[in-house]
Amino acid sequence: MDSDSISILTSKAPTKREEELPDSTDALLSSSDAPQKSSTKSVLFISLVLSTCVALSAAIAIAFLFFSSSSSSNSESINEVARPLTKLKHPVVLLISSDGFRFGYQFKTYTPNINRLIKNGTEAESGLIPVFPTLTFPNHYSIVTGLYPAYHGIINNYFTDPETNEVFTMASHEPKWWLGEPLWETVVNHGLKASTYFWPGSEVHKGSWNCPKDYCMFYNSSVPFEERVDTVLKYFDLSSSDIPSFMTLYFEDPDHQGHQVGPDDPLITEAVANIDEMIGKLIRGLEERGVFEDVTVIMVGDHGMVGTCDKKLIFLDDLTSWIEIPTEWVQYYTPLLAICPPSGYSPKDVVAKMNEGLKSGKVDNGQYLSVYLKEELPSRLHYAASDRIPPIIGLVQEGYKVEQKRSTRQECGGAHGYDNAFFSMRTIFIAHGPQFARGRKVPSFENVQIYNLVTTILNIQGAANNGTASFPQSILLPSH
Ligand SMILES: *[C@@H]1O[C@H](CO)[C@@H](O)[C@H](O)[C@H]1NC(C)=O
Ligand SMILES: *[C@@H]1O[C@H](CO)[C@@H](O)[C@H](O)[C@H]1NC(C)=O
Ligand SMILES: *[C@@H]1O[C@H](CO)[C@@H](O)[C@H](O)[C@H]1NC(C)=O
Ligand SMILES: [Zn+2]
């Protein structure tokens, strides 16, 4: 992940250097007095001047290289400041999620509308990094709380509370599951309005957010995308004080197609083109209302997608010679294996036996699954500090899946949920609005940074979270 820092050098930087270097060299040479006499003294003088010039120009070149690489990635927008609102009376952030929009999908086809946002906005050059596990509910809720799943409580799309044995599903709206403070709650706590056209957690009543009718849509996957966009646009027809300061808009695609056919099928190209059309419809609607340049549009996804096929499988039943893992112990199979053995079994012992089997060379694809006590997972995953996380977690290599037993089912498709270090799990971050530089590329970052970004744009104080306090300043334009 650290290798992303190389992306701070945009393709523009070398061009700039090439232009600048001959110029400064020329200027230095012409400023040295042209020698008149051909004496040894003057030859010596000339060579001295020349070598000084060479040394000087080299020093300047080095200084320039240093300066251009240590300064912001976009030399052209160094003097740019945030643009004032022209029509809206207060800042508005519209957060759009296109589920499973893997980073790179934007190059699959002609996407003129998304390109408008990119060209005149700020983009994470190598994509947005999801949190682990790279699943829909944990990530959407990290985006709006700034918290890693261990701290916001939605540690999976499906899990069991170890205290009460109650089961969380994607349809659970009881507040007790949803920890942290999502953006809509922060926004209404400050006396501002928020609206949600779908987002995991948005239906949940928390603090002063009670999912108000007309401003908070209950999840219904059958609502056509066009209708969602039209409803969001209608909020801009309200009187100024009623226009929500923060809005969400959610599309299930291209995740839906990605699971069925994997990331490289023409169906994905079609779904991406359709999402682009929705962005086009939105931009046109905002332009018709004269507010496109005033609204901050942040387009993200929750995670990427990788192709899976029936050859890349690991079966828990193959471990029987080392340890039997009954289905009742398994809370989640794949790509994140989550196991909770009953009391009386030592999780440490279970992990040791499973890994012994997996590494024996006698289990098909065993080398592609590693099993951990959650406390021993790599700390960069931040996946331990919650009782809701089962004691045993298995990580599979990219594209692999875990199943209980062999079946005759043959299938190829797509999956996500893997280690967030895999590039295939990355998604997009594209932001367009008054506080974002036009045409700027920034290094990749984790989605827990978005909470502070939104509260900074809205100029409100956010709740404590796992984002970096200085992050917003690093990607937003200064106010003057
Ligand atoms: C970018 O913004 C400028 C200034 O508002 C505008 O003239 C131009 O058409 C925009 N470009 C795109 C691709 O939308
Ligand atoms: C979901 O949306 C569809 C399409 O708009 C509508 O026909 C249906 O009644 C909605 N379902 C619920 C439960 O509101
Ligand atoms: C994440 O944020 C929560 C809430 O502020 C805090 O308790 C926790 O220690 C943070 N964790 C990390 C890894 O920063
Ligand atoms: Zn998803």
Side-chain angles (χ1 to χ4, degrees):
M1 274 187 292
D2 288 338
S3 62
D4 281 317
S5 56
I6 195 79
S7 65
I8 200 158
L9 291 164
T10 66
S11 53
K12 287 221 166 64
T15 333
K16 183 91 191 263
R17 270 180 241 142
E18 282 155 24
E19 284 164 6
E20 207 89 350
L21 287 179
D23 274 352
S24 44
T25 315
D26 285 349
L28 271 168
L29 280 176
S30 60
S31 73
S32 67
D33 289 335
Q36 303 294 322
K37 287 182 276 175
S38 54
S39 68
T40 327
K41 225 177 181 179
S42 62
V43 167
L44 260 174
F45 176 75
I46 290 163
S47 50
L48 204 80
V49 166
L50 274 175
S51 56
T52 311
C53 289
V54 168
L56 256 176
S57 48
I60 283 170
I62 285 164
F64 184 82
L65 284 172
F66 177 77
F67 179 75
S68 64
S69 61
S70 62
S71 70
S72 109
S73 60
N74 52 319
S75 31
E76 80 274 15
S77 62
I78 261 169
N79 299 316
E80 219 178 315
V81 294
R83 302 176 287 275
L85 298 179
T86 59
K87 183 142 187 224
L88 291 175
K89 299 281 184 288
H90 58 80
V92 172
V93 174
L94 169 54
L95 181 63
I96 305 171
S97 165
S98 176
D99 204 306
F101 199 113
R102 172 174 163 167
F103 178 73
Y105 277 4
Q106 71 271 34
F107 306 118
K108 276 188 178 282
T109 184
Y110 180 55
T111 52
N113 302 297
I114 294 172
N115 283 356
R116 278 190 69 181
L117 299 180
I118 294 173
K119 284 225 173 70
N120 266 345
T122 295
E123 182 189 24
E125 185 160 42
S126 314
L128 178 65
I129 303 168
V131 294
F132 178 81
T134 54
L135 295 167
T136 300
F137 269 53
N139 273 279
H140 275 98
Y141 205 52
S142 285
I143 291 169
V144 294
T145 57
L147 295 167
Y148 292 113
Y151 305 98
H152 69 47
I154 309 303
I155 54 112
N156 202 327
N157 288 340
Y158 181 94
F159 59 89
T160 304
D161 184 314
E163 308 248 304
T164 62
N165 277 325
E166 284 174 287
V167 173
F168 171 87
T169 71
M170 290 186 274
S172 301
H173 298 317
E174 299 90 351
K176 65 179 178 198
W177 298 110
W178 304 81
L179 313 178
E181 186 180 297
L183 279 166
W184 42 83
E185 186 184 347
T186 307
V187 166
V188 297
N189 280 347
H190 284 80
L192 305 174
K193 289 202 158 61
S195 68
T196 52
Y197 212 121
F198 305 160
W199 201 278
S202 60
E203 297 99 332
V204 180
H205 292 209
K206 278 181 99 281
S208 35
W209 175 256
N210 55 4
C211 187
K213 192 177 166 295
D214 300 334
Y215 282 99
C216 168
M217 303 299 152
F218 253 75
Y219 185 61
N220 176 354
S221 61
S222 309
V223 179
F225 292 174
E226 287 83 357
E227 194 178 321
R228 305 178 194 189
V229 173
D230 282 332
T231 303
V232 165
L233 286 172
K234 285 205 190 89
Y235 291 133
F236 290 95
D237 299 330
L238 296 169
S239 69
S240 171
S241 60
D242 283 335
I243 299 177
S245 297
F246 175 70
M247 310 180 185
T248 71
L249 172 60
Y250 169 80
F251 302 116
E252 289 83 354
D253 295 353
D255 181 74
H256 172 69
Q257 294 82 357
H259 282 289
Q260 293 174 333
V261 294
D264 298 316
D265 190 277
L267 260 184
I268 301 294
T269 312
E270 213 177 283
V272 167
N274 185 47
I275 292 295
D276 185 69
E277 275 172 35
M278 293 305 114
I279 300 297
K281 181 176 167 63
L282 177 79
I283 293 176
R284 274 193 307 281
L286 294 174
E287 280 181 331
E288 278 160 21
R289 290 163 176 83
V291 296
F292 176 53
E293 289 296 333
D294 279 2
V295 176
T296 300
V297 176
I298 302 179
M299 183 178 181
V300 297
D302 51 348
H303 53 72
M305 187 68 67
V306 70
T308 55
C309 244
D310 41 33
K311 301 270 181 302
K312 293 186 170 179
L313 294 174
I314 298 134
F315 302 100
L316 295 183
D317 279 0
D318 287 358
L319 290 172
T320 308
S321 320
W322 293 270
I323 183 168
E324 199 164 324
I325 308 288
T327 52
E328 304 80 64
W329 293 17
V330 184
Q331 282 198 15
Y332 209 82
Y333 279 93
T334 201
L336 161 77
L337 177 64
I339 296 176
C340 188
S343 54
Y345 286 84
S346 144
K348 197 175 169 181
D349 194 40
V350 174
V351 167
K353 286 185 170 140
M354 287 182 77
N355 281 329
E356 194 189 326
L358 291 166
K359 290 181 173 61
S360 67
K362 292 174 188 155
V363 170
D364 282 354
N365 295 322
Q367 69 271 37
Y368 301 115
L369 168 64
S370 299
V371 181
Y372 298 84
L373 285 174
K374 66 177 176 184
E375 297 80 11
E376 289 169 5
L377 282 168
S379 61
R380 62 182 173 78
L381 299 176
H382 304 288
Y383 201 62
S386 166
D387 290 343
R388 294 176 183 181
I389 301 170
I392 299 172
I393 298 295
L395 300 181
V396 281
Q397 280 301 308
E398 203 171 15
Y400 283 82
K401 293 205 289 187
V402 182
E403 292 182 1
Q404 185 71 35
K405 58 175 187 292
R406 273 159 225 283
S407 71
T408 51
R409 190 156 41 110
Q410 292 201 324
E411 55 171 23
C412 292
H416 55 87
Y418 299 91
D419 190 333
N420 64 346
F422 293 134
F423 204 81
S424 58
M425 294 297 109
R426 286 202 189 174
T427 180
I428 49 167
F429 173 90
I430 298 161
H432 182 284
Q435 300 187 48
F436 286 101
R438 298 192 192 278
R440 184 174 178 196
K441 307 285 180 227
V442 294
S444 293
F445 55 88
E446 281 189 312
N447 66 17
V448 293
Q449 304 290 2
I450 294 174
Y451 179 90
N452 287 340
L453 191 59
V454 174
T455 56
T456 303
I457 294 169
L458 297 180
N459 198 20
I460 57 177
Q461 179 66 46
N465 66 85
N466 301 130
T468 317
S470 60
F471 177 78
Q473 281 70 43
S474 76
I475 91 162
L476 291 174
L477 289 169
S479 43
H480 46 256

